[in-house]
Amino acid sequence: MGQITLNQVTKSFGDVEVIPPLDLQINDGEFVVFVGPSGCGKSTLLRLIAGLEDVSSGEIAIDGTDATHVQPARRGLAMVFQSYALYPHMSVRKNIAFPLKMAKMDKAEQDRRVANAAKVLNLTDYLDRRPGQLSGGQRQRVAIGRAIVREPAAFLFDEPLSNLDAALRVNMRLEISELHQTLKTTMIYVTHDQVEAMTMADKIVVLQAGRIEQVGSPLELYNAPRNKFVAGFIGSPKMNFIDGADAAQFGAHTIGIRPEHITLSTTEGLWQGRVGVAEHLGSDTFLYVHVNGLDPLTVRVSGEVGVRHGDTVFLSPDPAKLHRFDAQGLRQS
Amino acid sequence: MATQHSRAAARLMMAPAVVLLLGWMLVPLIMTLTFSFKKYLPLKGGDLGWVGFENYIRFFTASAFWPSVLSTLILVGGVLAITVVLGVLLALLLDQPFWGQGIVRILVIAPFFVMPTVSALVWKNMFMDPVNGLFAHLFKAFGAQPYDWLSQSPLLSIIVIVAWQWLPFATLILLTAIQSLDSEQLEAAEMDGAPVLARFGYIVLPHLARAITVVILIQTIFLLSIFAEIFVTTQGSFGTKTLTYLIYQRVLESQNVGLGSAGGIFAVILANIVAIFLMRIVGKNLDA
Amino acid sequence: MARRVSTRRKAITTLAAWSVGFLIFFPILWTVLTSFKTEAQAIADPPLFLGFDWTLENYAVVQERSDYLRFLWNSVIIAGGSTLLGTMVAIPAAWAMAFVPGKKTKDILLWMLSTKMLPAVGVLYPIYLIFIQLGLLDSRIGLVVVLMLCNLPIIVWMLYTYFKEIPGEILEAARMDGATLREEILYVLTPMAVPGIASTILLNIILAWNEAFWTLNLTAAKAAPLTAFIASYSSPEGLFYAKLSAASTLAIAPILILGWFSQKQLVRGLTFGAVK
Ligand SMILES: Nc1ncnc2c1ncn2[C@@H]1O[C@H](COP(=O)(O)OP(=O)(O)O)[C@@H](O)[C@H]1O
Ligand SMILES: [Mg+2]
């Protein structure tokens, strides 16, 4: 079981309120991602759940029982830290077995679980090495191994991939997703990278300045962002925002249109503009188009297109995919 | 990383050290303060009642007081001057590339590890003795009259001994500071056409300013309470009676505890004035 | 950075540095050499550098006449005991200050340091009195306690600076893994901090070994360590240079060796982090 409920949880450091009152329900077996810009309080929230920080007020319940004042070790949660936090003086085997040793589990069972975890994580050949002798990805796996042997009610990950290079990051992303499918244990995963959030989550929690902006599945957030912040944060490249007369024409204070929902034409369209930079990725082409009176618009075109820097192009938004926001930034439709 | 529980634990973990040091500081200090206002003569019955500020007045007006202040100032100032100037020069020298850096470093540091009684006795007898000392031999070899260091220039002799002990400390700290100097800064200055002396004056010395301050403050605190070197050489005679030694004599030799305690309180205040400056620097570094 | 330095310049620097190093080290060298001479050779004029008959006689005499080993043992007990005791008190305190810093942590650290700066002579009589009351005068246990208290601020401080370098996340990981505070300190923090703890112990053994105010004033025959042993040579034995040298060599040799190992930590330990 791994159901976590936050009820009116707040956290202040001194006079600074980092988390204003916050409610959140995490269901058993869910893969929940906390996403938001750096410094928005994601780690703090995770550490409150872990018990590494006290809440300033409010309650945290795990599987229906109040855990607000329970010691971290007794909450039945396992955490994977950004720096991995491996014990440098212990072998991989001892690192993974450490929580079991602390739980005074018998030696045979310890060995069995360590061997099991090592097999799942491809660490069997490295069990007798020290963390210092491992690559970044391997260290990451040891940290995960140390978490899974405990068979926790939920896993907490704090930006676990941010210290890895890009290629490895994609790999580990898949491995963690697979792990979740195998174990079916609740996972709470913190990242500032919306791509990680979109690809891994069952449920995304978008945070800004400690406040929850929206909770929903990746596609809900993509298709129906509650406000401009979520709309701009989810999706890559970022959504284009247009104010003023061009927005009023659609009956909104601000309109938002994703780069992939703009049609490009060399002959006709709503807006006329000049191509600035064109980024050719092969599968896609990103064009940055300067339209008079507007901020540059990003346009995403599938495959290759025959336009170059300085060409005049015409852009039209897909009306069905247009997002309308009011003066407060809330989405109207 | 702080929960109520870990804060409570932290208080508990700090308690033994804090309590011990608090006791170590307060109990004797309060006793000294009390004694300083009393006529207290252990050999003549001990506590003979309150006398107000009489001990302080007697301590400060005694004929030995000002000479002891002067000796202390000369001793501390002399050692500081020698160790800082030679320390800077030595640090500059040792910072240059040369063969056997490790060994020379060890040779230079060694005196710091010699216990004060040993260095004092070795210098007193084997170097400064007017008959058999090495300096006497050296003087004779050049046809000069041997010099009786400890009776003719007793304070200078002690300054030499103490400076020899503390030179390594100054050198080591200044060397560490020099090595942290960004060599690109020096190279930039060289490109700008600054000659060696200007580079030293405008870049190296300002960079060392803080280290020099630290050396001066820390050494001052230790030098103010120099004891063993005087104890085994002159026993405070011939104008080598520093404040510390004067207080020591009042307390243990003449057994006038009240008088000695008044002096002790004075020494504590003096040390604290130096300590405040040191604490400022250390405190600033803690924040950084 | 490594700029090529001309060999000529390097040679000159080498000569200068070695000369200065030799000069500074000379009193120690001379003491060691003299300890192997006969008394007559020790005061010979002109002085004898290497051309003398090496003898171990002085060492035998020193041990026989003044029971060097007893003083050595006292030094070991006092320096080692005070340092170990201090370390045991300081580790938890340094843990708290490094990993659970509060608003007052800095003040406490600075206050601890300031106690190190109290002039000993100011509190000599009270300590003396307390020692008489408790029957601690001329006892090793008494000195162990006093030197422990003297050096506790330095020990706490050094450990604090070493602990600060250990990422707090590792200790948090241990806490998540179910380690109690005791287990966290014993199985995770201490093994990771072994180099720092070792240097701290080393430097403080040296400081305690060479401490020469309390050891001279609070001991007599029974508990006197090597500082007092040497002080007893101030007269008239001091005139027997070879024996004085042998005694001195014996007193400083153990610590000189330890000292050379700890030279890197010296700066850190004695400047309280004010110079890096
Ligand atoms: N121990 C602390 N003391 C004071 N402020 C803190 C502490 N930890 C975090 N903060 C502040 O709380 C805010 C949120 O931090 P954090 O949760 O680490 O953000 P994120 O993980 O989203 O980048 C930041 O502004 C940070 O400065
Ligand atoms: Mg974070």
Side-chain angles (χ1 to χ4, degrees):
Chain A
M1 285 290 282
Q3 189 196 57
I4 297 169
T5 313
L6 276 64
N7 181 16
Q8 289 294 300
V9 165
T10 69
K11 176 68 187 176
S12 306
F13 290 111
D15 304 332
V16 186
E17 188 172 62
V18 176
I19 310 277
L22 178 149
D23 291 304
L24 182 65
Q25 165 80 34
I26 292 164
N27 297 320
D28 185 32
E30 255 182 338
F31 196 118
V32 178
V33 174
F34 295 170
V35 70
S38 206
C40 70
K42 307 176 297 283
S43 298
T44 305
L45 193 55
L46 197 70
R47 291 162 59 81
L48 289 174
I49 296 173
L52 292 171
E53 301 276 0
D54 284 329
V55 298
S56 299
S57 67
E59 288 111 49
I60 296 173
I62 298 173
D63 289 331
T65 44
D66 182 23
T68 316
H69 300 291
V70 174
Q71 287 297 296
R74 305 239 176 79
R75 296 192 182 193
L77 309 174
M79 182 144 166
V80 175
F81 292 85
Q82 181 168 3
S83 64
Y84 317 139
L86 300 179
Y87 310 122
H89 57 291
M90 298 183 198
S91 64
V92 169
R93 184 192 308 280
K94 292 227 169 95
N95 260 282
I96 297 179
F98 189 76
L100 307 178
K101 185 176 156 198
M102 290 300 106
K104 314 236 163 13
M105 187 177 282
D106 73 64
K107 195 79 181 66
E109 175 66 8
Q110 280 188 28
D111 290 343
R112 198 187 60 74
R113 289 205 191 181
V114 171
N116 230 339
K119 208 170 83 206
V120 174
L121 295 164
N122 279 322
L123 286 170
T124 309
D125 295 337
Y126 305 100
L127 279 176
D128 294 311
R129 292 208 192 165
R130 293 276 176 93
Q133 300 163 298
L134 301 179
S135 69
Q138 288 166 336
R139 284 182 213 179
Q140 180 66 75
R141 284 203 285 268
V142 176
I144 295 174
R146 194 172 62 184
I148 61 178
V149 286
R150 294 177 53 194
E151 300 178 356
F155 291 96
L156 312 178
F157 293 92
D158 191 354
E159 310 222 9
L161 306 186
S162 56
N163 287 344
L164 300 179
D165 63 49
L168 210 50
R169 209 175 304 164
V170 175
N171 268 340
M172 284 307 298
R173 209 164 78 194
L174 290 174
E175 281 189 37
I176 294 176
S177 294
E178 252 167 49
L179 197 67
H180 179 241
Q181 265 142 37
T182 323
L183 300 175
K184 299 196 167 50
T185 310
T186 311
M187 291 188 175
I188 305 178
Y189 186 105
V190 163
T191 179
H192 64 266
D193 178 355
Q194 61 92 25
V195 177
E196 272 176 34
M198 294 297 279
T199 50
M200 300 172 87
D202 294 324
K203 181 155 105 187
I204 295 179
V205 177
V206 182
L207 290 165
Q208 188 198 7
R211 266 195 327 278
I212 296 184
E213 296 290 346
Q214 189 170 6
V215 179
S217 73
L219 285 182
E220 275 166 19
L221 298 191
Y222 179 81
N223 291 324
R226 206 171 66 82
N227 56 28
K228 267 177 74 179
F229 176 79
V230 177
F233 195 79
I234 300 291
S236 170
K238 214 164 124 34
M239 183 185 282
N240 299 296
F241 291 109
I242 297 164
D243 302 314
D246 290 278
Q249 151 190 7
F250 290 94
H253 182 268
T254 307
I255 56 168
I257 183 76
R258 296 194 185 279
E260 52 271 42
H261 299 147
I262 296 178
T263 346
L264 180 84
S265 156
T266 48
T267 51
E268 54 172 6
L270 183 59
W271 297 303
Q272 183 187 9
R274 211 168 22 80
V275 176
V277 175
E279 293 175 347
H280 301 275
L281 302 182
S283 59
D284 294 292
T285 306
F286 298 152
L287 301 172
Y288 299 91
V289 182
H290 300 275
V291 178
N292 269 344
L294 301 180
D295 288 336
L297 295 179
T298 315
V299 181
R300 174 183 193 154
V301 187
S302 217
E304 274 298 304
V305 284
V307 295
R308 294 210 323 260
H309 174 80
D311 287 356
T312 299
V313 291
F314 295 89
L315 307 175
S316 321
D318 176 349
K321 298 286 173 68
L322 198 74
H323 304 270
R324 292 178 180 80
F325 300 97
D326 64 17
Q328 278 71 50
L330 285 179
R331 185 169 177 275
Q332 298 162 307
S333 64
Chain B
M1 106 149 247
T3 60
Q4 267 171 27
H5 180 262
S6 63
R7 271 187 213 296
R11 271 195 293 276
L12 208 66
M13 304 289 253
M14 261 190 299
V18 170
V19 169
L20 281 173
L21 281 176
L22 206 60
W24 171 238
M25 180 182 83
L26 284 184
V27 174
L29 206 57
I30 288 172
M31 287 171 76
T32 301
L33 200 62
T34 316
F35 291 148
S36 74
F37 290 108
K38 284 189 162 184
K39 193 174 171 78
Y40 196 103
L41 303 166
L43 296 182
K44 295 185 184 135
D47 187 351
L48 302 176
W50 300 96
V51 293
F53 282 92
E54 196 188 304
N55 287 320
Y56 288 90
I57 296 168
R58 273 185 60 197
F59 186 81
F60 291 128
T61 54
S63 60
F65 175 69
W66 285 110
S68 81
V69 171
L70 192 67
S71 310
T72 310
L73 284 180
I74 295 175
L75 175 64
V76 173
V79 174
L80 285 178
I82 296 177
T83 52
V84 169
V85 171
L86 290 187
V88 170
L89 294 177
L90 214 55
L92 286 173
L93 176 65
L94 297 185
D95 186 43
Q96 308 295 315
F98 64 89
W99 288 293
Q101 272 179 323
I103 299 173
V104 171
R105 213 178 131 108
I106 284 174
L107 294 181
V108 169
I109 289 166
F112 190 74
F113 300 119
V114 175
M115 58 176 62
T117 44
V118 166
S119 52
L121 274 187
V122 164
W123 277 93
K124 174 190 173 186
N125 292 319
M126 291 165 55
F127 286 86
M128 295 173 169
D129 187 274
V131 182
N132 291 321
L134 216 50
F135 288 157
H137 294 326
L138 204 66
F139 276 51
K140 274 184 271 177
F142 286 102
Q145 210 32 248
Y147 188 67
D148 189 353
W149 287 78
L150 273 157
S151 49
Q152 285 173 29
S153 313
L155 204 50
L156 176 68
S157 308
I158 292 179
I159 289 175
V160 169
I161 297 173
V162 177
W164 178 73
Q165 285 179 291
W166 283 92
L167 180 58
F169 175 78
T171 307
L172 200 58
I173 286 173
L174 295 170
L175 181 60
T176 310
I178 286 185
Q179 284 170 342
S180 74
L181 177 63
D182 182 8
S183 67
E184 281 185 6
Q185 246 189 63
L186 278 178
E187 281 164 11
E190 206 178 335
M191 299 291 287
D192 291 342
V196 176
L197 266 180
R199 290 204 299 268
F200 177 76
Y202 288 111
I203 298 178
V204 179
L205 216 51
H207 177 79
L208 286 184
R210 204 160 91 139
I212 292 177
T213 318
V214 171
V215 166
I216 290 178
L217 292 173
I218 292 178
Q219 284 199 22
T220 304
I221 283 162
F222 281 96
L223 295 177
L224 279 176
S225 45
I226 283 285
F227 174 77
E229 290 83 346
I230 301 172
F231 181 74
V232 298
T233 53
T234 61
Q235 298 260 331
S237 54
F238 312 122
T240 58
K241 196 178 291 168
T242 59
L243 257 176
T244 298
Y245 211 81
L246 178 70
I247 298 166
Y248 160 79
Q249 284 185 332
R250 290 282 180 272
V251 172
L252 277 199
E253 285 179 5
S254 34
Q255 294 269 325
N256 190 337
V257 174
L259 193 57
S261 295
I265 294 297
F266 178 61
V268 168
I269 293 171
L270 208 62
N272 267 302
I273 293 172
V274 183
I276 287 172
F277 288 104
L278 181 61
M279 288 302 146
R280 281 242 183 97
I281 297 188
V282 171
K284 262 195 211 125
N285 245 36
L286 262 186
D287 295 330
Chain C
M1 56 151 273
R3 191 185 321 181
R4 277 204 48 81
V5 178
S6 73
T7 312
R8 207 177 100 93
R9 177 158 169 209
K10 199 167 168 180
I12 294 172
T13 317
T14 306
L15 191 69
W18 276 86
S19 312
V20 174
F22 178 77
L23 219 59
I24 290 177
F25 187 71
F26 182 74
I28 298 172
L29 178 69
W30 186 244
T31 306
V32 175
L33 285 179
T34 307
S35 74
F36 294 107
K37 297 175 184 171
T38 63
E39 290 297 349
Q41 287 167 340
I43 54 170
D45 188 12
L48 301 168
F49 277 88
L50 293 171
F52 57 86
D53 311 318
W54 294 67
T55 170
L56 282 174
E57 190 192 288
N58 301 308
Y59 287 91
V61 173
V62 165
Q63 161 60 16
E64 200 178 299
R65 204 188 316 152
S66 46
D67 203 359
Y68 164 77
L69 286 176
R70 189 167 54 82
F71 292 97
L72 174 73
W73 183 236
N74 284 339
S75 270
V76 169
I77 296 278
I78 291 168
S82 66
T83 303
L84 289 185
L85 207 62
T87 309
M88 272 171 355
V89 176
I91 287 182
W95 168 85
M97 294 196 261
F99 298 112
V100 196
K103 284 189 219 82
K104 298 212 189 71
T105 304
K106 190 180 142 187
D107 294 334
I108 294 178
L109 263 174
L110 290 180
W111 163 71
M112 284 191 169
L113 270 192
S114 74
T115 66
K116 176 72 198 162
M117 297 170 188
L118 278 183
V121 73
V123 294
L124 172 59
Y125 196 75
I127 298 295
Y128 190 73
L129 213 58
I130 294 171
F131 265 50
I132 292 177
Q133 294 284 309
L134 300 178
L136 288 174
L137 218 51
D138 198 19
S139 74
R140 288 189 297 225
I141 180 76
L143 270 186
V144 164
V145 171
V146 163
L147 293 195
M148 185 268 273
L149 291 167
C150 271
N151 287 337
L152 192 55
I154 295 189
I155 302 180
V156 170
W157 187 272
M158 284 183 75
L159 288 177
Y160 169 78
T161 60
Y162 285 113
F163 287 179
K164 280 289 261 195
E165 286 169 9
I166 292 173
E169 281 197 346
I170 295 187
L171 300 191
E172 290 182 336
R175 215 165 303 161
M176 293 291 292
D177 283 346
T180 61
L181 198 55
R182 198 182 64 85
E183 289 165 331
E184 174 185 324
I185 291 183
L186 220 56
Y187 297 140
V188 181
L189 176 64
T190 306
M192 283 177 68
V194 160
I197 294 176
S199 346
T200 305
I201 289 181
L202 213 58
L203 181 63
N204 280 282
I205 286 182
I206 294 170
L207 291 179
W209 187 275
N210 288 342
E211 204 286 330
F213 182 78
W214 296 116
T215 51
L216 289 179
N217 283 313
L218 296 177
T219 62
K222 218 160 80 267
L226 288 168
T227 42
F229 162 73
I230 293 299
S232 74
Y233 273 75
S234 60
S235 63
E237 284 101 323
L239 300 175
F240 297 97
Y241 288 4
K243 285 175 197 68
L244 170 66
S245 298
S248 298
T249 306
L250 285 171
I252 62 174
I255 225 59
L256 219 48
I257 293 163
L258 281 191
W260 284 335
F261 283 115
S262 78
Q263 45 153 320
K264 289 240 165 61
Q265 273 61 50
L266 200 67
V267 174
R268 184 173 190 149
L270 289 177
T271 62
F272 316 112
V275 171
K276 281 180 197 142

Short mmCIF file of all heavy atoms in Angstrom, two decimals, chain B residues 11 19-20 29 32 52 62 119 125 131 144 148 163 196 203 206 218 263 279:
data_model
loop_
_atom_site.label_atom_id
_atom_site.label_comp_id
_atom_site.label_asym_id
_atom_site.label_seq_id
_atom_site.Cartn_x
_atom_site.Cartn_y
_atom_site.Cartn_z
N ARG B 11 20.60 19.30 20.46
CA ARG B 11 20.84 19.94 21.76
C ARG B 11 21.46 18.96 22.73
O ARG B 11 22.41 19.27 23.44
CB ARG B 11 19.53 20.48 22.31
CG ARG B 11 19.24 21.89 21.86
CD ARG B 11 18.15 22.51 22.70
NE ARG B 11 16.86 21.87 22.49
CZ ARG B 11 16.05 22.21 21.47
NH1 ARG B 11 16.40 23.14 20.61
NH2 ARG B 11 14.90 21.61 21.32
N VAL B 19 28.34 22.10 28.44
CA VAL B 19 28.35 22.13 29.91
C VAL B 19 29.79 22.10 30.44
O VAL B 19 30.16 22.88 31.32
CB VAL B 19 27.53 20.95 30.47
CG1 VAL B 19 27.75 20.81 31.97
CG2 VAL B 19 26.06 21.15 30.17
N LEU B 20 30.59 21.21 29.88
CA LEU B 20 31.98 21.11 30.33
C LEU B 20 32.71 22.43 30.16
O LEU B 20 33.37 22.92 31.08
CB LEU B 20 32.72 20.01 29.55
CG LEU B 20 32.45 18.58 29.99
CD1 LEU B 20 33.10 17.60 29.03
CD2 LEU B 20 32.99 18.37 31.40
N LEU B 29 36.76 31.20 36.86
CA LEU B 29 36.75 32.64 36.64
C LEU B 29 36.03 33.36 37.79
O LEU B 29 36.49 34.38 38.31
CB LEU B 29 36.06 32.95 35.32
CG LEU B 29 36.50 34.25 34.64
CD1 LEU B 29 37.99 34.25 34.42
CD2 LEU B 29 35.76 34.43 33.33
N THR B 32 38.29 33.28 40.76
CA THR B 32 39.35 34.28 40.66
C THR B 32 38.79 35.67 40.95
O THR B 32 39.40 36.46 41.68
CB THR B 32 39.96 34.26 39.24
OG1 THR B 32 40.47 32.96 39.00
CG2 THR B 32 41.09 35.25 39.11
N GLY B 52 37.60 44.97 49.01
CA GLY B 52 37.24 45.88 47.91
C GLY B 52 38.28 45.85 46.80
O GLY B 52 38.76 44.78 46.42
N ALA B 62 52.07 48.49 42.19
CA ALA B 62 53.31 47.83 42.61
C ALA B 62 54.43 48.22 41.66
O ALA B 62 54.21 48.47 40.47
CB ALA B 62 53.11 46.32 42.62
N SER B 119 63.10 23.42 24.12
CA SER B 119 63.74 24.46 23.32
C SER B 119 64.39 25.51 24.23
O SER B 119 65.50 25.97 23.96
CB SER B 119 62.77 25.09 22.34
OG SER B 119 61.61 25.52 22.99
N ASN B 125 71.40 26.55 27.40
CA ASN B 125 72.66 25.92 27.75
C ASN B 125 73.59 25.71 26.57
O ASN B 125 74.76 26.05 26.62
CB ASN B 125 72.41 24.57 28.43
CG ASN B 125 71.75 24.76 29.78
OD1 ASN B 125 72.13 25.66 30.53
ND2 ASN B 125 70.75 23.95 30.06
N VAL B 131 80.19 30.23 28.38
CA VAL B 131 81.45 29.47 28.40
C VAL B 131 81.45 28.37 27.35
O VAL B 131 82.31 28.31 26.47
CB VAL B 131 81.69 28.86 29.80
CG1 VAL B 131 83.03 28.12 29.81
CG2 VAL B 131 81.64 29.93 30.86
N ALA B 144 86.14 37.48 19.03
CA ALA B 144 85.33 38.40 19.82
C ALA B 144 85.18 37.89 21.25
O ALA B 144 85.44 36.72 21.53
CB ALA B 144 83.97 38.59 19.19
N ASP B 148 77.39 37.00 27.32
CA ASP B 148 76.50 36.26 28.22
C ASP B 148 75.05 36.65 27.93
O ASP B 148 74.51 37.57 28.53
CB ASP B 148 76.86 36.55 29.68
CG ASP B 148 76.09 35.63 30.63
OD1 ASP B 148 75.20 34.89 30.13
OD2 ASP B 148 76.38 35.63 31.83
N ALA B 163 60.75 33.16 19.28
CA ALA B 163 60.58 33.41 17.85
C ALA B 163 60.95 32.16 17.05
O ALA B 163 60.31 31.83 16.05
CB ALA B 163 61.42 34.60 17.42
N VAL B 196 58.94 43.62 -9.96
CA VAL B 196 58.79 42.64 -8.87
C VAL B 196 58.30 43.29 -7.58
O VAL B 196 57.36 42.81 -6.95
CB VAL B 196 60.13 41.93 -8.62
CG1 VAL B 196 60.01 41.00 -7.43
CG2 VAL B 196 60.55 41.16 -9.86
N ILE B 203 50.02 43.38 -4.85
CA ILE B 203 49.21 42.17 -5.01
C ILE B 203 49.45 41.17 -3.89
O ILE B 203 48.53 40.75 -3.20
CB ILE B 203 49.47 41.53 -6.38
CG1 ILE B 203 49.03 42.52 -7.45
CG2 ILE B 203 48.68 40.22 -6.51
CD1 ILE B 203 49.26 42.06 -8.83
N PRO B 206 48.75 42.70 -0.03
CA PRO B 206 47.32 42.82 0.30
C PRO B 206 46.63 41.45 0.41
O PRO B 206 45.80 41.24 1.28
CB PRO B 206 46.75 43.61 -0.88
CG PRO B 206 47.89 44.33 -1.45
CD PRO B 206 49.10 43.49 -1.21
N ILE B 218 46.51 35.22 16.68
CA ILE B 218 46.66 33.93 17.34
C ILE B 218 47.95 33.88 18.15
O ILE B 218 47.99 33.44 19.29
CB ILE B 218 46.60 32.78 16.31
CG1 ILE B 218 45.19 32.71 15.74
CG2 ILE B 218 46.98 31.46 16.96
CD1 ILE B 218 45.02 31.66 14.69
N GLY B 263 45.50 40.51 39.31
CA GLY B 263 46.30 40.50 38.08
C GLY B 263 45.72 39.54 37.06
O GLY B 263 45.69 39.83 35.86
N MET B 279 37.91 36.80 16.82
CA MET B 279 36.57 36.23 16.65
C MET B 279 35.85 36.88 15.47
O MET B 279 35.11 36.23 14.75
CB MET B 279 35.74 36.47 17.92
CG MET B 279 36.18 35.63 19.07
SD MET B 279 36.07 33.92 18.63
CE MET B 279 37.42 33.30 19.53
#
